[in-house]
Amino acid sequence: AERLALNTPDKANAFYIATLPVKLQDTDADFVPLYLANYMLGQSETSRLWNRVRVTEGLSYDVRSRLNVSSYEPSGSWTIYAIHAPENSDKLKAVIHEELSKVLEEGFSPEEVKESIHALLRYRQLARSNDSVLASTWHNYLDLDRTFAWSEQVDQALKSMTADQVNQIVRKYLVIDGFSSALGADQSKQ
């Protein structure tokens, strides 16, 4: 893991990004639980990172996590990023670390998992009702030799997911010290 600091003189905002390599393919059994964990960690505006970093602490303008997993081979990444005022950089990194540690120590609650499954299924259904998303997904599925039956399998796997399953997979893949990070900020404001 690497730690990079990039000086961006006279820029009002700072940008923090951290990426963890993940050896996973979207056809692996671990994909759906990790996909759900990412949603709860930082993909939505009800996520752990959003609520703690943006709402509670007021440290960022935007904070998210993104899971990017290949359909072709076991290769992917788990990324966390935040746009913030440069004077908040140290506190922001500390709070993100605390939230990741909390996920590893305490896990996601059964209620949190249940609510997130419901929200994620609605999100997926809404996305499939958008013509441009539908066409793009269909085009991608043709390349992968898939049909929307694959999407239905993901939905069914989500519906049957338990907090124990999600937490087990999170503990398998979330290695806090494995993230490489970069901070772009005006160093005079750090």
Side-chain angles (χ1 to χ4, degrees):
E2 299 284 332
R3 307 284 180 265
L4 305 169
L6 308 166
N7 190 24
T8 57
D10 301 322
K11 297 295 180 189
N13 293 328
F15 188 81
Y16 171 78
I17 187 166
T19 301
L20 174 70
V22 177
K23 189 175 182 177
L24 185 67
Q25 190 169 341
D26 68 2
T27 54
D28 295 343
D30 292 351
F31 170 69
V32 174
L34 201 60
Y35 171 61
L36 178 59
N38 176 67
Y39 181 82
M40 292 184 287
L41 179 65
Q43 185 178 335
S44 75
E45 291 181 1
T46 59
S47 69
R48 293 258 185 119
L49 289 174
W50 182 271
N51 281 314
R52 174 78 192 282
V53 176
R54 182 163 172 22
V55 176
T56 302
E57 303 285 345
L59 294 172
S60 71
Y61 308 112
D62 191 15
V63 59
R64 304 286 177 168
S65 68
R66 179 179 64 234
L67 181 66
N68 184 15
V69 176
S70 175
S71 299
Y72 300 100
E73 61 187 0
S75 172
S77 61
W78 204 350
T79 301
I80 297 169
Y81 67 88
I83 302 167
H84 61 285
E87 59 270 16
N88 292 335
S89 295
D90 289 339
K91 177 76 173 166
L92 176 123
K93 290 187 285 186
V95 168
I96 289 173
H97 188 275
E98 286 173 18
E99 282 304 305
L100 295 177
S101 297
K102 187 176 176 183
V103 166
L104 287 176
E105 292 166 16
E106 300 172 13
F108 296 104
S109 72
E111 187 62 30
E112 189 176 12
V113 169
K114 181 181 175 184
E115 289 173 6
S116 296
I117 289 169
H118 182 70
L120 188 52
L121 286 169
R122 280 195 336 250
Y123 170 80
R124 289 171 56 79
Q125 182 181 24
L126 183 61
R128 287 189 296 260
S129 70
N130 180 301
D131 289 345
S132 63
V133 171
L134 192 63
S136 174
T137 302
W138 184 246
H139 183 265
N140 187 41
Y141 283 179
L142 287 171
D143 184 50
L144 294 168
D145 197 26
R146 290 181 182 168
T147 66
F148 279 93
W150 186 84
S151 185
E152 176 62 20
Q153 290 171 351
V154 172
D155 288 353
Q156 291 306 316
L158 281 168
K159 288 176 185 176
S160 67
M161 200 63 47
T162 67
D164 287 341
Q165 290 171 308
V166 173
N167 292 327
Q168 180 182 359
I169 296 304
V170 166
R171 290 181 182 111
K172 179 178 176 181
Y173 288 94
L174 182 57
V175 180
I176 296 173
D177 293 338
F179 279 91
S180 288
S181 63
L183 175 66
D186 184 334
Q187 295 301 312
S188 69
K189 296 178 182 176
Q190 293 291 295

